[in-house]
Amino acid sequence: MTRLLFLIAFSFIFQWNTFSQEKINNYKYIVVPNQYDFQKTQDQYQLNSLTKFLFNKYGYTAYLENDDFPNDLGANNCLALKAITRVIKGGFLVSKIQIDLVDCKNRVVASSQVGKSKEKNRKKAYQETVRAAFITYQFFDYKYNGNAIKTEENTVVEIPEVKEAKEEEEEEEEKVIETINSSEEKVEESVKQELVGIVEAKAEIVTSAADNKYLLYAQPIDNGFQIVDTEPKKVMILLDSGTPNMFIVKGKDAVVYKKDGSWIYAENSGKNLKLSVLNLKF
């Protein structure tokens, strides 16, 4: 029953993420507020600058509200989604945070998974939950498609003086990295290790099996496929799930599904989500 619930939830999240990603691609920028509702001061615990940093590192174009905006965003705020980070109540001694992306008419376009942390230190707990929540957007293959929503005249953001500041943005990112590295959590220099850390829902990004030239072949069997290597030796059994390009791994709390032309192995141990890219031939 636990495995069935996991597979149903995984399938739902996969389809929802695909839908949300397509909607996010309609927007050119992400704007991060200087202060969230639960914060007492601007950029308290460095959450706002951390959120901007994460979006920029994973292919988005993000600004804080007090940054200099590019000309088109200054004239049309509907080119951007606003990243609203909010605290989720409930759970004894557990900090929970969710990041919503909201359009210029306050409609939620996408919501992240709920990031959790049992860390007692408030600053460290909030930073861990932000990274955990951001994993939702980290794995989107974001690419602006040019279909920005047109704004009405009364939604135009008036900016007294707008200028392009690519070099200043890069300097700001370097300052953010230095600040984060000096914080109590002692963030790793490796961006990959730093940004994927979680407490209960920690996801481990595994080196692609394709990089190691570990070639696998799918051999049809009743109700699925037998996966073998080049010896050939049986590696796993994939069972039909009823969803196109998604299979249940027999004997494991895991699935294999196709995304962006690659086959992904996803295994949930109850504490960690392990993701691997398979060099799989059908």
Side-chain angles (χ1 to χ4, degrees):
M1 179 63 69
T2 300
R3 181 178 304 159
L4 178 60
L5 291 175
F6 162 71
L7 293 172
I8 293 173
F10 186 91
S11 178
F12 174 78
I13 292 171
F14 177 77
Q15 295 177 20
W16 167 251
N17 282 352
T18 300
F19 175 72
S20 298
Q21 176 180 327
E22 291 175 353
K23 296 188 68 175
I24 291 175
N25 289 347
N26 292 331
Y27 297 87
K28 192 174 182 180
Y29 303 106
I30 305 291
V31 173
V32 180
N34 299 323
Q35 184 174 342
Y36 302 125
D37 290 342
F38 62 90
Q39 292 175 309
K40 295 181 179 180
T41 59
Q42 290 190 8
D43 203 21
Q44 187 179 21
Y45 310 125
Q46 300 169 330
L47 298 186
N48 311 71
S49 55
L50 175 59
T51 304
K52 171 190 171 182
F53 170 76
L54 291 171
F55 273 113
N56 282 323
K57 281 298 179 183
Y58 283 97
Y60 303 82
T61 302
Y63 296 92
L64 288 172
E65 281 182 332
N66 59 356
D67 288 340
D68 288 332
F69 288 170
N71 291 330
D72 55 352
L73 178 56
N76 184 357
N77 69 331
C78 287
L79 289 172
L81 291 171
K82 180 176 286 189
I84 304 297
T85 297
R86 53 194 178 89
V87 171
I88 305 297
K89 296 181 179 180
F92 183 65
L93 297 179
V94 178
S95 298
K96 299 180 180 179
I97 271 182
Q98 189 169 37
I99 304 173
D100 292 333
L101 293 181
V102 180
D103 67 12
C104 61
K105 297 185 183 297
N106 277 335
R107 295 172 297 197
V108 176
V109 174
S111 295
S112 74
Q113 67 180 26
V114 176
K116 301 177 183 180
S117 174
K118 291 184 179 180
E119 174 63 45
K120 295 181 180 180
N121 181 280
R122 183 65 60 86
K123 178 178 180 180
K124 187 172 182 179
Y126 276 147
Q127 291 192 355
E128 284 183 344
T129 55
V130 165
R131 292 191 191 89
F134 190 83
I135 281 186
T136 297
Y137 303 118
Q138 176 180 332
F139 291 109
F140 281 173
D141 185 19
Y142 169 76
K143 185 177 182 181
Y144 175 53
N145 58 23
N147 296 331
I149 307 245
K150 302 295 183 182
T151 183
E152 299 178 1
E153 291 183 1
N154 60 358
T155 61
V156 173
V157 177
E158 303 243 353
I159 305 295
E161 182 179 357
V162 180
K163 63 180 181 178
E164 299 291 344
K166 184 176 180 180
E167 293 182 358
E168 292 181 6
E169 181 183 352
E170 292 176 350
E171 292 177 358
E172 179 65 21
E173 284 191 358
E174 292 178 359
K175 291 179 182 179
V176 171
I177 295 174
E178 293 176 358
T179 304
I180 294 174
N181 284 338
S182 63
S183 65
E184 293 179 23
E185 68 212 296
K186 297 180 181 179
V187 179
E188 298 284 344
E189 290 183 1
S190 167
V191 174
K192 183 176 179 180
Q193 293 176 356
E194 173 208 33
L195 303 178
V196 188
I198 317 174
V199 177
E200 291 186 325
K202 187 173 185 181
E204 177 186 357
I205 307 304
V206 180
T207 301
S208 169
D211 293 339
N212 295 327
K213 304 186 185 304
Y214 185 53
L215 187 58
L216 301 175
Y217 295 93
Q219 299 175 341
I221 58 174
D222 290 341
N223 196 30
F225 293 89
Q226 174 178 269
I227 306 303
V228 298
D229 58 20
T230 55
E231 289 187 16
K233 181 178 68 176
K234 184 173 72 174
V235 177
M236 69 182 90
I237 298 292
L238 300 184
L239 303 176
D240 291 333
S241 68
T243 300
N245 293 326
M246 179 179 290
F247 299 94
I248 302 168
V249 181
K250 183 177 180 180
K252 290 184 175 292
D253 290 328
V255 295
V256 171
Y257 64 95
K258 194 173 187 179
K259 180 175 174 61
D260 297 332
S262 297
W263 287 99
I264 310 298
Y265 176 92
E267 181 176 354
N268 194 321
S269 67
K271 295 182 179 180
N272 299 308
L273 176 61
K274 179 180 179 181
L275 303 176
S276 305
V277 179
L278 302 178
N279 190 356
L280 178 58
K281 305 296 182 182
F282 278 84

